[in-house]
Amino acid sequence: MVNFFLLFFHINKKKTTFALTYRNRNKSKDYNKMEKSKVNPASGKLGILIVGNGAVATTFMTGVLMARKGLAKPIGSMTQYDKVRVGRGNDKKYLKYSELVPIANLSDIEFGCWDVYPQNAYQAAVYAEVLKREDIEPVRSELEQIVPMKAAFDKNFAKRLDGDNIKREVSGEIPTRWEMVEMLREDIKMFKTSKGCDRVVVLWAASTEIYVPIDEQVHYSLEALEAAMKADDREHVAPSMCYAYAALTEGCPFVMGAPNTTVDIPAMWQLAEKTRMPIAGKDFKTGQTLVKSGFAPIIGTRCLGLDGWFSTNILGNRDGLVLDVPENFRTKEVSKLSTLETILKADEQPDLYTDYYHKVRINYYPPRNDNKESWDNIDIFGWMGYPMQIKINFLCRDSILAAPVCLDLCLLIDLAARAGRYGTQRFLSFFLKSPMHDYTQGEEAVNHLYRQHTMLKNALREMGGYEADEEID
Ligand SMILES: NC(=O)c1ccc[n+]([C@@H]2O[C@H](COP(=O)([O-])OP(=O)(O)OC[C@H]3O[C@@H](n4cnc5c(N)ncnc54)[C@H](O)[C@@H]3O)[C@@H](O)[C@H]2O)c1
């Protein structure tokens, strides 16, 4: 009798957050296979509408277009490379995601975007200087056809941007927040019809907005948020919230790739529930935080102590320019700081993790452009409290790491929608620096990279008709 309970961090609003999954190992040879869960097929075209046509967005689009011509490989993408074990013992097999669940094909993707600057995706990719010209030219004509729609923009939220491809009223004024929503809804409808898309996902890969602290009066109920939009409350309603509201109302899943609090508020959770749409956020987990969420478990697993973790970066692209403004950096700082606290916890190990100092800096340094360099200095202590240091120096390429994350988030949130999942998709935490969770109920984010991977695999197993059979310790 080998019955046991499996604690599964669930990701679907339809079920409880920490659902107990029951497994009977001896039942049958094919014990692990459940009745195939209902996931609609990925038929027709998938529209990916990107807010922002900058370094990340153009690297993502160029890579997909190149990959489907067989001219580049989508390296770093879990949906294209990772395999999930299903079954156990002799029944065990490893399946690629597309063999387990119906994932949209790269050749079925149609791109569109909004940006403050009018340059088409080809011009923007050349400007971003992430990719070599020889890796852009073969898809030049496709990229030239991706011309950004006018942005729903308010300069107070990103002061360093001076583009004029923005939505205006006839008077020249920027529209009210509610008018922004209505205009964006029209954009989405028009894109969907003109491209003949079956489904559309909206992905925020635009600049980090200034920090919008969560205000219970405005952000805790959908009714209050809608009232604030109609009253044109420009302090509490960021333009990104208008994109998210428009997307969900038009039946499109929404992904927040910047650290903006946009969908990380109860009002948006309610909208996602009302519209039965999945949401995910926030902040793509790419370089330094990926390393942090993968390295902190080494310290925790080995029961070493932590005195301090100092993380600094130099970055010279437009993202770095926007983040050079303290109000915008604050949004990023909050996101980057949240990682360690749920992995190395003082309440679980007071001798090891009480009062460690955690600091994150980003410095704008134009010569490096997109080639961000990060340094981590980690002060640890061991046997009898003796101090030691670890240094990590990651010379990465920001957008090269972000592009596959964009692809995976879009394909997986589209899958989630077809599987009937809605609300916050916690199984996508793996891809995010500051994963969403219901903080109003005291729920904690899962930042531990390997636990996040388990959540991802368990969700895929479930959607593929298998039991979520891996435990999260
Ligand atoms: N590259 C990474 O590793 C990484 C990791 C995590 C998060 N991010 C986030 O992804 C986002 C994109 O990064 P990037 O390097 O492409 O930046 P980028 O500056 O090259 O591109 C952002 C684009 O968004 C546009 N934009 C700003 N506000 C807009 C609005 N309201 N509507 C439409 N367009 C708008 C800007 O004009 C700009 O072209 C940033 O918020 C960044 O913080 C990037």
Side-chain angles (χ1 to χ4, degrees):
M1 174 76 172
V2 202
N3 290 342
F4 67 91
F5 289 94
L6 174 68
L7 184 62
F8 172 49
F9 282 63
H10 213 279
I11 10 52
N12 186 356
K13 275 275 173 203
K14 283 195 293 189
K15 300 172 188 167
T16 51
T17 312
F18 291 88
L20 283 173
T21 309
Y22 177 74
R23 180 155 62 82
N24 184 338
R25 276 179 154 176
N26 289 349
K27 250 185 177 166
S28 76
K29 203 163 186 313
D30 202 15
Y31 61 84
N32 196 236
K33 186 94 171 112
M34 299 195 316
E35 201 180 313
K36 191 93 181 156
S37 57
K38 174 104 183 67
V39 182
N40 291 330
S43 51
K45 285 189 190 174
L46 170 65
I48 297 184
L49 260 179
I50 311 177
V51 192
N53 184 36
V56 170
T58 54
T59 308
F60 166 38
M61 294 189 281
T62 307
V64 169
L65 296 172
M66 288 288 283
R68 69 191 193 195
K69 282 191 170 174
L71 297 174
K73 291 192 189 300
I75 292 169
S77 163
M78 308 291 284
T79 54
Q80 310 302 306
Y81 284 99
D82 194 25
K83 290 183 178 174
V84 179
R85 177 199 42 76
V86 293
R88 283 179 189 270
N90 293 338
D91 294 335
K92 178 169 82 173
K93 54 188 172 184
Y94 290 86
L95 302 178
K96 287 183 78 170
Y97 293 9
S98 56
E99 293 166 332
L100 180 56
V101 283
I103 298 257
N105 208 297
L106 297 193
S107 56
D108 290 332
I109 294 175
E110 285 285 343
F111 287 112
C113 64
W114 291 273
D115 203 287
V116 172
Y117 296 92
Q119 284 74 24
N120 64 46
Y122 169 75
Q123 294 165 320
V126 170
Y127 173 84
E129 287 184 351
V130 175
L131 300 171
K132 290 184 270 187
R133 286 293 269 268
E134 68 202 61
D135 291 322
I136 305 175
E137 290 302 325
V139 290
R140 177 176 182 155
S141 60
E142 290 96 317
L143 289 170
E144 280 175 339
Q145 285 162 34
I146 305 169
V147 179
M149 296 182 277
K150 285 189 175 10
F153 184 66
D154 177 343
K155 201 169 163 62
N156 288 329
F157 282 75
K159 291 199 176 64
R160 290 278 169 100
L161 301 178
D162 56 6
D164 201 33
N165 190 46
I166 61 178
K167 296 192 187 302
R168 289 189 189 281
E169 295 188 80
V170 190
S171 62
E173 289 295 302
I174 66 161
T176 66
R177 293 298 195 253
W178 191 249
E179 285 164 346
M180 280 184 180
V181 167
E182 288 175 335
M183 291 172 171
L184 291 166
R185 288 187 65 176
E186 283 310 310
D187 290 347
I188 295 170
K189 279 188 208 136
M190 199 260 304
F191 169 79
K192 195 171 177 184
T193 316
S194 67
K195 298 288 179 189
C197 293
D198 214 52
R199 313 169 310 282
V200 174
V201 165
V202 177
L203 169 76
W204 178 280
S207 314
T208 301
E209 296 175 319
I210 57 169
Y211 187 56
V212 180
I214 295 168
D215 183 311
E216 293 194 17
Q217 300 295 321
V218 179
H219 299 133
Y220 263 48
S221 83
L222 181 56
E223 219 182 352
L225 181 70
E226 285 170 344
M229 285 175 161
K230 287 177 182 161
D232 199 24
D233 177 346
R234 297 185 182 189
E235 185 192 339
H236 296 103
V237 183
S240 60
M241 293 178 186
C242 301
Y243 283 99
Y245 189 99
L248 296 174
T249 315
E250 284 306 313
C252 309
F254 184 87
V255 177
M256 174 43 73
N260 307 336
T261 46
T262 314
V263 277
D264 201 7
I265 52 174
M268 287 291 182
W269 306 341
Q270 289 164 24
L271 181 60
E273 203 149 325
K274 182 176 161 191
T275 55
R276 297 281 192 273
M277 279 294 117
I279 49 176
K282 46 196 195 310
D283 211 3
F284 303 129
K285 178 151 82 176
T286 51
Q288 190 172 52
T289 312
L290 172 69
V291 170
K292 194 174 280 183
S293 70
F295 198 86
I298 296 180
I299 298 172
T301 306
R302 190 62 186 72
C303 293
L304 293 166
L306 182 70
D307 267 334
W309 195 312
F310 180 72
S311 301
T312 190
N313 301 265
I314 53 173
L315 169 69
N317 59 15
R318 193 185 274 156
D319 182 30
L321 180 69
V322 171
L323 293 174
D324 208 32
V325 176
E327 292 86 345
N328 295 77
F329 173 67
R330 178 70 190 137
T331 314
K332 192 62 122 182
E333 186 185 35
V334 170
S335 163
K336 280 174 106 52
L337 278 175
S338 62
T339 309
L340 274 188
E341 285 73 11
T342 55
I343 304 178
L344 304 176
K345 295 164 79 171
D347 55 343
E348 286 174 9
Q349 292 288 6
D351 282 354
L352 308 179
Y353 307 123
T354 299
D355 292 337
Y356 55 80
Y357 189 86
H358 185 198
K359 183 89 185 162
V360 179
R361 297 296 314 152
I362 298 180
N363 295 291
Y364 179 53
Y365 181 61
R368 282 300 170 85
N369 199 5
D370 201 64
N371 296 348
K372 183 161 79 179
E373 179 162 3
S374 68
W375 292 266
D376 284 273
N377 171 76
I378 312 163
D379 282 289
I380 60 168
F381 55 89
W383 187 245
M384 297 165 71
Y386 277 70
M388 295 170 268
Q389 290 182 9
I390 301 168
K391 315 274 183 191
I392 301 173
N393 179 203
F394 190 5
L395 286 83
C396 71
R397 288 173 189 264
D398 239 12
S399 302
I400 295 296
L401 293 168
V405 172
C406 292
L407 176 64
D408 291 339
L409 281 166
C410 288
L411 295 185
L412 292 173
I413 205 156
D414 168 53
L415 168 74
R418 282 183 285 108
R421 289 173 184 244
Y422 56 90
T424 301
Q425 299 302 300
R426 298 193 69 193
F427 80 101
L428 298 177
S429 300
F430 180 81
F431 302 101
L432 298 157
K433 261 205 257 307
S434 177
M436 292 187 351
H437 55 285
D438 188 351
Y439 47 82
T440 64
Q441 301 299 315
E443 204 173 69
E444 276 195 346
V446 177
N447 282 298
H448 190 298
L449 188 72
Y450 306 104
R451 290 182 188 153
Q452 292 174 332
H453 193 211
T454 301
M455 286 160 66
L456 173 63
K457 289 183 287 179
N458 274 346
L460 289 166
R461 288 183 182 113
E462 273 213 332
M463 285 187 268
Y466 290 84
E467 278 183 300
D469 70 0
E470 245 180 294
E471 287 193 60
I472 299 168
D473 295 319

